[in-house]
Amino acid sequence: QVQLVESGGGLVQPGGSLRLSCAASGNIFRSATMGWYRQAPGKQRDLVAQSTIRDITTYADSVKGRFTISRDNPKNTVYLQMNSLKPEDTAVYYCRLTFASRDYWGQGTQVNVSS
């Protein structure tokens, strides 16, 4: 069983930065696709950024140029660097690991962007 633990959320002013981390248990991390998703109140959960095993990255249009996903395979950790944050980035951010057609999710970390 894979467990994912997110951290790094919090309250930040517009224009500020945060770095989210997601640590995975087990030994499949380097063979997995890792993604960050977010869900705002009353809205569906949407993809923010994704990194494949070949480190190919994709981003939602709304975060391109502001967010960066990166992975550290020896540490079994994926990061989401978020810069130039906007109030509309406020959401619960979830980490997702996909391996062999199975998905694992973290518990989520809250990000609030407000003055």
Side-chain angles (χ1 to χ4, degrees):
Q1 183 71 13
V2 175
Q3 291 187 329
L4 302 173
V5 179
E6 300 107 330
S7 60
L11 174 64
V12 63
Q13 293 186 341
S17 298
L18 283 175
R19 189 175 82 154
L20 306 182
S21 300
C22 172
S25 64
N27 59 3
I28 63 172
F29 180 87
R30 65 179 63 244
S31 301
T33 292
M34 298 302 301
W36 285 99
Y37 290 71
R38 66 186 180 188
Q39 186 169 20
K43 295 188 176 181
Q44 66 181 20
R45 190 175 298 185
D46 291 325
L47 175 67
V48 175
Q50 180 174 280
S51 170
T52 70
I53 59 174
R54 292 185 174 86
D55 213 15
I56 296 172
T57 57
T58 56
Y59 296 91
D61 287 343
S62 59
V63 306
K64 283 181 180 177
R66 300 189 298 123
F67 290 11
T68 302
I69 187 171
S70 61
R71 59 195 298 164
D72 187 334
N73 287 337
K75 293 185 178 179
N76 280 10
T77 301
V78 63
Y79 304 97
L80 185 67
Q81 178 67 44
M82 305 186 295
N83 299 328
S84 302
L85 282 161
K86 305 175 181 180
E88 51 264 44
D89 294 318
T90 294
V92 178
Y93 284 71
Y94 296 91
C95 174
R96 175 187 181 186
L97 183 152
T98 302
F99 174 76
S101 301
R102 295 191 65 178
D103 291 324
Y104 302 88
W105 291 89
Q107 82 288 351
T109 185
Q110 178 71 49
V111 172
N112 289 311
V113 184
S114 174
S115 56

PDB file of all heavy atoms in Angstrom, residues 68-96:
ATOM      1  N   THR A  68       5.822  25.256 -10.838  1.00  0.00           N
ATOM      2  CA  THR A  68       6.790  24.299 -11.355  1.00  0.00           C
ATOM      3  C   THR A  68       6.718  23.016 -10.548  1.00  0.00           C
ATOM      4  O   THR A  68       6.835  23.048  -9.316  1.00  0.00           O
ATOM      5  CB  THR A  68       8.217  24.859 -11.278  1.00  0.00           C
ATOM      6  OG1 THR A  68       8.296  26.090 -12.008  1.00  0.00           O
ATOM      7  CG2 THR A  68       9.203  23.865 -11.872  1.00  0.00           C
ATOM      8  N   ILE A  69       6.526  21.903 -11.252  1.00  0.00           N
ATOM      9  CA  ILE A  69       6.551  20.594 -10.603  1.00  0.00           C
ATOM     10  C   ILE A  69       7.944  19.991 -10.782  1.00  0.00           C
ATOM     11  O   ILE A  69       8.550  20.122 -11.845  1.00  0.00           O
ATOM     12  CB  ILE A  69       5.461  19.661 -11.172  1.00  0.00           C
ATOM     13  CG1 ILE A  69       5.389  18.359 -10.369  1.00  0.00           C
ATOM     14  CG2 ILE A  69       5.686  19.378 -12.656  1.00  0.00           C
ATOM     15  CD1 ILE A  69       4.197  17.475 -10.738  1.00  0.00           C
ATOM     16  N   SER A  70       8.439  19.355  -9.736  1.00  0.00           N
ATOM     17  CA  SER A  70       9.730  18.688  -9.818  1.00  0.00           C
ATOM     18  C   SER A  70       9.685  17.459  -8.919  1.00  0.00           C
ATOM     19  O   SER A  70       8.857  17.368  -8.008  1.00  0.00           O
ATOM     20  CB  SER A  70      10.861  19.627  -9.397  1.00  0.00           C
ATOM     21  OG  SER A  70      10.694  20.061  -8.061  1.00  0.00           O
ATOM     22  N   ARG A  71      10.571  16.515  -9.195  1.00  0.00           N
ATOM     23  CA  ARG A  71      10.593  15.292  -8.421  1.00  0.00           C
ATOM     24  C   ARG A  71      12.016  14.933  -8.028  1.00  0.00           C
ATOM     25  O   ARG A  71      12.955  15.195  -8.789  1.00  0.00           O
ATOM     26  CB  ARG A  71       9.930  14.140  -9.188  1.00  0.00           C
ATOM     27  CG  ARG A  71      10.544  13.814 -10.519  1.00  0.00           C
ATOM     28  CD  ARG A  71       9.619  12.929 -11.359  1.00  0.00           C
ATOM     29  NE  ARG A  71       9.371  11.646 -10.714  1.00  0.00           N
ATOM     30  CZ  ARG A  71       8.380  10.840 -11.065  1.00  0.00           C
ATOM     31  NH1 ARG A  71       7.541  11.178 -12.027  1.00  0.00           N
ATOM     32  NH2 ARG A  71       8.208   9.676 -10.440  1.00  0.00           N
ATOM     33  N   ASP A  72      12.136  14.346  -6.856  1.00  0.00           N
ATOM     34  CA  ASP A  72      13.412  13.873  -6.344  1.00  0.00           C
ATOM     35  C   ASP A  72      13.235  12.382  -6.103  1.00  0.00           C
ATOM     36  O   ASP A  72      12.706  11.966  -5.058  1.00  0.00           O
ATOM     37  CB  ASP A  72      13.771  14.612  -5.057  1.00  0.00           C
ATOM     38  CG  ASP A  72      15.161  14.289  -4.547  1.00  0.00           C
ATOM     39  OD1 ASP A  72      15.668  13.186  -4.859  1.00  0.00           O
ATOM     40  OD2 ASP A  72      15.730  15.116  -3.834  1.00  0.00           O
ATOM     41  N   ASN A  73      13.654  11.581  -7.055  1.00  0.00           N
ATOM     42  CA  ASN A  73      13.401  10.145  -6.955  1.00  0.00           C
ATOM     43  C   ASN A  73      14.077   9.490  -5.754  1.00  0.00           C
ATOM     44  O   ASN A  73      13.453   8.648  -5.087  1.00  0.00           O
ATOM     45  CB  ASN A  73      13.795   9.453  -8.258  1.00  0.00           C
ATOM     46  CG  ASN A  73      12.803   9.739  -9.385  1.00  0.00           C
ATOM     47  OD1 ASN A  73      11.644  10.083  -9.142  1.00  0.00           O
ATOM     48  ND2 ASN A  73      13.274   9.619 -10.616  1.00  0.00           N
ATOM     49  N   PRO A  74      15.346   9.810  -5.443  1.00  0.00           N
ATOM     50  CA  PRO A  74      15.956   9.176  -4.260  1.00  0.00           C
ATOM     51  C   PRO A  74      15.206   9.480  -2.967  1.00  0.00           C
ATOM     52  O   PRO A  74      15.244   8.679  -2.026  1.00  0.00           O
ATOM     53  CB  PRO A  74      17.356   9.765  -4.240  1.00  0.00           C
ATOM     54  CG  PRO A  74      17.635  10.111  -5.663  1.00  0.00           C
ATOM     55  CD  PRO A  74      16.317  10.603  -6.197  1.00  0.00           C
ATOM     56  N   LYS A  75      14.511  10.628  -2.918  1.00  0.00           N
ATOM     57  CA  LYS A  75      13.761  10.996  -1.718  1.00  0.00           C
ATOM     58  C   LYS A  75      12.288  10.622  -1.804  1.00  0.00           C
ATOM     59  O   LYS A  75      11.513  10.906  -0.891  1.00  0.00           O
ATOM     60  CB  LYS A  75      13.886  12.500  -1.450  1.00  0.00           C
ATOM     61  CG  LYS A  75      15.283  12.942  -1.063  1.00  0.00           C
ATOM     62  CD  LYS A  75      15.306  14.434  -0.701  1.00  0.00           C
ATOM     63  CE  LYS A  75      16.696  14.869  -0.260  1.00  0.00           C
ATOM     64  NZ  LYS A  75      16.735  16.317   0.077  1.00  0.00           N
ATOM     65  N   ASN A  76      11.885  10.021  -2.925  1.00  0.00           N
ATOM     66  CA  ASN A  76      10.467   9.662  -3.108  1.00  0.00           C
ATOM     67  C   ASN A  76       9.550  10.852  -2.891  1.00  0.00           C
ATOM     68  O   ASN A  76       8.467  10.730  -2.292  1.00  0.00           O
ATOM     69  CB  ASN A  76      10.058   8.536  -2.146  1.00  0.00           C
ATOM     70  CG  ASN A  76      10.492   7.161  -2.622  1.00  0.00           C
ATOM     71  OD1 ASN A  76      11.250   7.043  -3.580  1.00  0.00           O
ATOM     72  ND2 ASN A  76      10.028   6.139  -1.954  1.00  0.00           N
ATOM     73  N   THR A  77       9.952  12.000  -3.393  1.00  0.00           N
ATOM     74  CA  THR A  77       9.212  13.230  -3.121  1.00  0.00           C
ATOM     75  C   THR A  77       8.987  14.023  -4.401  1.00  0.00           C
ATOM     76  O   THR A  77       9.887  14.138  -5.233  1.00  0.00           O
ATOM     77  CB  THR A  77       9.958  14.091  -2.096  1.00  0.00           C
ATOM     78  OG1 THR A  77      10.125  13.348  -0.883  1.00  0.00           O
ATOM     79  CG2 THR A  77       9.184  15.377  -1.789  1.00  0.00           C
ATOM     80  N   VAL A  78       7.792  14.570  -4.518  1.00  0.00           N
ATOM     81  CA  VAL A  78       7.466  15.478  -5.607  1.00  0.00           C
ATOM     82  C   VAL A  78       7.113  16.831  -4.997  1.00  0.00           C
ATOM     83  O   VAL A  78       6.524  16.902  -3.916  1.00  0.00           O
ATOM     84  CB  VAL A  78       6.317  14.932  -6.482  1.00  0.00           C
ATOM     85  CG1 VAL A  78       5.026  14.800  -5.698  1.00  0.00           C
ATOM     86  CG2 VAL A  78       6.113  15.803  -7.713  1.00  0.00           C
ATOM     87  N   TYR A  79       7.500  17.881  -5.688  1.00  0.00           N
ATOM     88  CA  TYR A  79       7.297  19.238  -5.200  1.00  0.00           C
ATOM     89  C   TYR A  79       6.439  20.038  -6.168  1.00  0.00           C
ATOM     90  O   TYR A  79       6.395  19.742  -7.372  1.00  0.00           O
ATOM     91  CB  TYR A  79       8.641  19.957  -5.040  1.00  0.00           C
ATOM     92  CG  TYR A  79       9.614  19.242  -4.142  1.00  0.00           C
ATOM     93  CD1 TYR A  79      10.596  18.414  -4.690  1.00  0.00           C
ATOM     94  CD2 TYR A  79       9.555  19.380  -2.761  1.00  0.00           C
ATOM     95  CE1 TYR A  79      11.498  17.753  -3.874  1.00  0.00           C
ATOM     96  CE2 TYR A  79      10.457  18.724  -1.943  1.00  0.00           C
ATOM     97  CZ  TYR A  79      11.423  17.903  -2.510  1.00  0.00           C
ATOM     98  OH  TYR A  79      12.314  17.244  -1.689  1.00  0.00           O
ATOM     99  N   LEU A  80       5.800  21.050  -5.646  1.00  0.00           N
ATOM    100  CA  LEU A  80       5.108  22.022  -6.478  1.00  0.00           C
ATOM    101  C   LEU A  80       5.502  23.408  -5.973  1.00  0.00           C
ATOM    102  O   LEU A  80       5.073  23.828  -4.900  1.00  0.00           O
ATOM    103  CB  LEU A  80       3.590  21.850  -6.419  1.00  0.00           C
ATOM    104  CG  LEU A  80       2.802  22.757  -7.367  1.00  0.00           C
ATOM    105  CD1 LEU A  80       3.067  22.374  -8.827  1.00  0.00           C
ATOM    106  CD2 LEU A  80       1.300  22.709  -7.074  1.00  0.00           C
ATOM    107  N   GLN A  81       6.344  24.077  -6.751  1.00  0.00           N
ATOM    108  CA  GLN A  81       6.732  25.447  -6.437  1.00  0.00           C
ATOM    109  C   GLN A  81       5.696  26.375  -7.039  1.00  0.00           C
ATOM    110  O   GLN A  81       5.473  26.345  -8.253  1.00  0.00           O
ATOM    111  CB  GLN A  81       8.112  25.759  -6.997  1.00  0.00           C
ATOM    112  CG  GLN A  81       8.567  27.187  -6.754  1.00  0.00           C
ATOM    113  CD  GLN A  81       8.798  27.496  -5.293  1.00  0.00           C
ATOM    114  OE1 GLN A  81       9.398  26.702  -4.574  1.00  0.00           O
ATOM    115  NE2 GLN A  81       8.324  28.666  -4.841  1.00  0.00           N
ATOM    116  N   MET A  82       5.083  27.180  -6.199  1.00  0.00           N
ATOM    117  CA  MET A  82       4.013  28.072  -6.647  1.00  0.00           C
ATOM    118  C   MET A  82       4.434  29.513  -6.413  1.00  0.00           C
ATOM    119  O   MET A  82       4.647  29.922  -5.261  1.00  0.00           O
ATOM    120  CB  MET A  82       2.715  27.765  -5.882  1.00  0.00           C
ATOM    121  CG  MET A  82       2.286  26.307  -5.976  1.00  0.00           C
ATOM    122  SD  MET A  82       0.671  25.983  -5.229  1.00  0.00           S
ATOM    123  CE  MET A  82       1.039  26.350  -3.515  1.00  0.00           C
ATOM    124  N   ASN A  83       4.569  30.250  -7.491  1.00  0.00           N
ATOM    125  CA  ASN A  83       4.958  31.664  -7.433  1.00  0.00           C
ATOM    126  C   ASN A  83       3.824  32.546  -7.955  1.00  0.00           C
ATOM    127  O   ASN A  83       2.904  32.054  -8.627  1.00  0.00           O
ATOM    128  CB  ASN A  83       6.223  31.900  -8.249  1.00  0.00           C
ATOM    129  CG  ASN A  83       7.413  31.113  -7.751  1.00  0.00           C
ATOM    130  OD1 ASN A  83       7.544  30.854  -6.557  1.00  0.00           O
ATOM    131  ND2 ASN A  83       8.279  30.726  -8.671  1.00  0.00           N
ATOM    132  N   SER A  84       3.914  33.802  -7.644  1.00  0.00           N
ATOM    133  CA  SER A  84       2.924  34.786  -8.115  1.00  0.00           C
ATOM    134  C   SER A  84       1.503  34.303  -7.836  1.00  0.00           C
ATOM    135  O   SER A  84       0.624  34.326  -8.713  1.00  0.00           O
ATOM    136  CB  SER A  84       3.105  35.054  -9.611  1.00  0.00           C
ATOM    137  OG  SER A  84       4.396  35.516  -9.900  1.00  0.00           O
ATOM    138  N   LEU A  85       1.281  33.873  -6.633  1.00  0.00           N
ATOM    139  CA  LEU A  85      -0.013  33.291  -6.277  1.00  0.00           C
ATOM    140  C   LEU A  85      -1.130  34.317  -6.348  1.00  0.00           C
ATOM    141  O   LEU A  85      -0.935  35.510  -6.052  1.00  0.00           O
ATOM    142  CB  LEU A  85       0.061  32.674  -4.874  1.00  0.00           C
ATOM    143  CG  LEU A  85       0.765  31.308  -4.843  1.00  0.00           C
ATOM    144  CD1 LEU A  85       1.227  30.965  -3.437  1.00  0.00           C
ATOM    145  CD2 LEU A  85      -0.149  30.229  -5.389  1.00  0.00           C
ATOM    146  N   LYS A  86      -2.292  33.820  -6.749  1.00  0.00           N
ATOM    147  CA  LYS A  86      -3.488  34.640  -6.906  1.00  0.00           C
ATOM    148  C   LYS A  86      -4.600  34.114  -6.000  1.00  0.00           C
ATOM    149  O   LYS A  86      -4.594  32.920  -5.644  1.00  0.00           O
ATOM    150  CB  LYS A  86      -3.958  34.594  -8.363  1.00  0.00           C
ATOM    151  CG  LYS A  86      -2.920  34.985  -9.393  1.00  0.00           C
ATOM    152  CD  LYS A  86      -3.451  34.787 -10.796  1.00  0.00           C
ATOM    153  CE  LYS A  86      -2.407  35.150 -11.846  1.00  0.00           C
ATOM    154  NZ  LYS A  86      -2.929  34.960 -13.232  1.00  0.00           N
ATOM    155  N   PRO A  87      -5.548  34.946  -5.653  1.00  0.00           N
ATOM    156  CA  PRO A  87      -6.662  34.458  -4.818  1.00  0.00           C
ATOM    157  C   PRO A  87      -7.362  33.251  -5.427  1.00  0.00           C
ATOM    158  O   PRO A  87      -7.816  32.358  -4.686  1.00  0.00           O
ATOM    159  CB  PRO A  87      -7.589  35.671  -4.738  1.00  0.00           C
ATOM    160  CG  PRO A  87      -6.669  36.843  -4.862  1.00  0.00           C
ATOM    161  CD  PRO A  87      -5.611  36.407  -5.845  1.00  0.00           C
ATOM    162  N   GLU A  88      -7.424  33.182  -6.742  1.00  0.00           N
ATOM    163  CA  GLU A  88      -8.095  32.048  -7.387  1.00  0.00           C
ATOM    164  C   GLU A  88      -7.303  30.752  -7.294  1.00  0.00           C
ATOM    165  O   GLU A  88      -7.788  29.695  -7.701  1.00  0.00           O
ATOM    166  CB  GLU A  88      -8.409  32.359  -8.854  1.00  0.00           C
ATOM    167  CG  GLU A  88      -7.239  32.876  -9.658  1.00  0.00           C
ATOM    168  CD  GLU A  88      -7.225  34.406  -9.740  1.00  0.00           C
ATOM    169  OE1 GLU A  88      -7.448  35.072  -8.699  1.00  0.00           O
ATOM    170  OE2 GLU A  88      -6.961  34.920 -10.861  1.00  0.00           O
ATOM    171  N   ASP A  89      -6.088  30.813  -6.763  1.00  0.00           N
ATOM    172  CA  ASP A  89      -5.322  29.586  -6.507  1.00  0.00           C
ATOM    173  C   ASP A  89      -5.722  28.939  -5.185  1.00  0.00           C
ATOM    174  O   ASP A  89      -5.250  27.843  -4.859  1.00  0.00           O
ATOM    175  CB  ASP A  89      -3.827  29.892  -6.480  1.00  0.00           C
ATOM    176  CG  ASP A  89      -3.291  30.351  -7.828  1.00  0.00           C
ATOM    177  OD1 ASP A  89      -3.684  29.756  -8.853  1.00  0.00           O
ATOM    178  OD2 ASP A  89      -2.485  31.314  -7.846  1.00  0.00           O
ATOM    179  N   THR A  90      -6.574  29.603  -4.419  1.00  0.00           N
ATOM    180  CA  THR A  90      -7.022  29.059  -3.151  1.00  0.00           C
ATOM    181  C   THR A  90      -7.776  27.748  -3.360  1.00  0.00           C
ATOM    182  O   THR A  90      -8.724  27.693  -4.154  1.00  0.00           O
ATOM    183  CB  THR A  90      -7.932  30.066  -2.425  1.00  0.00           C
ATOM    184  OG1 THR A  90      -7.163  31.213  -2.058  1.00  0.00           O
ATOM    185  CG2 THR A  90      -8.550  29.451  -1.168  1.00  0.00           C
ATOM    186  N   ALA A  91      -7.332  26.698  -2.685  1.00  0.00           N
ATOM    187  CA  ALA A  91      -7.922  25.371  -2.853  1.00  0.00           C
ATOM    188  C   ALA A  91      -7.221  24.396  -1.917  1.00  0.00           C
ATOM    189  O   ALA A  91      -6.206  24.729  -1.303  1.00  0.00           O
ATOM    190  CB  ALA A  91      -7.778  24.889  -4.302  1.00  0.00           C
ATOM    191  N   VAL A  92      -7.773  23.195  -1.855  1.00  0.00           N
ATOM    192  CA  VAL A  92      -7.044  22.083  -1.253  1.00  0.00           C
ATOM    193  C   VAL A  92      -6.244  21.423  -2.371  1.00  0.00           C
ATOM    194  O   VAL A  92      -6.800  21.099  -3.431  1.00  0.00           O
ATOM    195  CB  VAL A  92      -7.989  21.061  -0.596  1.00  0.00           C
ATOM    196  CG1 VAL A  92      -7.190  19.892  -0.028  1.00  0.00           C
ATOM    197  CG2 VAL A  92      -8.811  21.729   0.499  1.00  0.00           C
ATOM    198  N   TYR A  93      -4.964  21.250  -2.138  1.00  0.00           N
ATOM    199  CA  TYR A  93      -4.069  20.660  -3.141  1.00  0.00           C
ATOM    200  C   TYR A  93      -3.776  19.216  -2.755  1.00  0.00           C
ATOM    201  O   TYR A  93      -3.404  18.918  -1.612  1.00  0.00           O
ATOM    202  CB  TYR A  93      -2.774  21.470  -3.225  1.00  0.00           C
ATOM    203  CG  TYR A  93      -2.951  22.755  -3.970  1.00  0.00           C
ATOM    204  CD1 TYR A  93      -3.677  23.817  -3.432  1.00  0.00           C
ATOM    205  CD2 TYR A  93      -2.419  22.926  -5.248  1.00  0.00           C
ATOM    206  CE1 TYR A  93      -3.869  24.997  -4.126  1.00  0.00           C
ATOM    207  CE2 TYR A  93      -2.599  24.112  -5.953  1.00  0.00           C
ATOM    208  CZ  TYR A  93      -3.327  25.131  -5.388  1.00  0.00           C
ATOM    209  OH  TYR A  93      -3.517  26.294  -6.091  1.00  0.00           O
ATOM    210  N   TYR A  94      -3.944  18.335  -3.747  1.00  0.00           N
ATOM    211  CA  TYR A  94      -3.771  16.900  -3.539  1.00  0.00           C
ATOM    212  C   TYR A  94      -2.654  16.376  -4.429  1.00  0.00           C
ATOM    213  O   TYR A  94      -2.512  16.777  -5.590  1.00  0.00           O
ATOM    214  CB  TYR A  94      -5.046  16.145  -3.892  1.00  0.00           C
ATOM    215  CG  TYR A  94      -6.233  16.466  -3.030  1.00  0.00           C
ATOM    216  CD1 TYR A  94      -7.113  17.482  -3.383  1.00  0.00           C
ATOM    217  CD2 TYR A  94      -6.496  15.744  -1.861  1.00  0.00           C
ATOM    218  CE1 TYR A  94      -8.214  17.783  -2.597  1.00  0.00           C
ATOM    219  CE2 TYR A  94      -7.594  16.038  -1.074  1.00  0.00           C
ATOM    220  CZ  TYR A  94      -8.446  17.056  -1.459  1.00  0.00           C
ATOM    221  OH  TYR A  94      -9.535  17.351  -0.680  1.00  0.00           O
ATOM    222  N   CYS A  95      -1.930  15.431  -3.886  1.00  0.00           N
ATOM    223  CA  CYS A  95      -0.895  14.718  -4.621  1.00  0.00           C
ATOM    224  C   CYS A  95      -1.484  13.388  -5.088  1.00  0.00           C
ATOM    225  O   CYS A  95      -2.233  12.735  -4.354  1.00  0.00           O
ATOM    226  CB  CYS A  95       0.294  14.488  -3.681  1.00  0.00           C
ATOM    227  SG  CYS A  95       1.622  13.486  -4.336  1.00  0.00           S
ATOM    228  N   ARG A  96      -1.130  12.999  -6.304  1.00  0.00           N
ATOM    229  CA  ARG A  96      -1.617  11.743  -6.876  1.00  0.00           C
ATOM    230  C   ARG A  96      -0.448  10.962  -7.455  1.00  0.00           C
ATOM    231  O   ARG A  96       0.383  11.524  -8.174  1.00  0.00           O
ATOM    232  CB  ARG A  96      -2.638  12.017  -7.979  1.00  0.00           C
ATOM    233  CG  ARG A  96      -3.132  10.788  -8.738  1.00  0.00           C
ATOM    234  CD  ARG A  96      -4.008  11.229  -9.896  1.00  0.00           C
ATOM    235  NE  ARG A  96      -4.534  10.094 -10.646  1.00  0.00           N
ATOM    236  CZ  ARG A  96      -5.229  10.230 -11.781  1.00  0.00           C
ATOM    237  NH1 ARG A  96      -5.487  11.424 -12.265  1.00  0.00           N
ATOM    238  NH2 ARG A  96      -5.680   9.156 -12.398  1.00  0.00           N
TER     239      ARG A  96
END
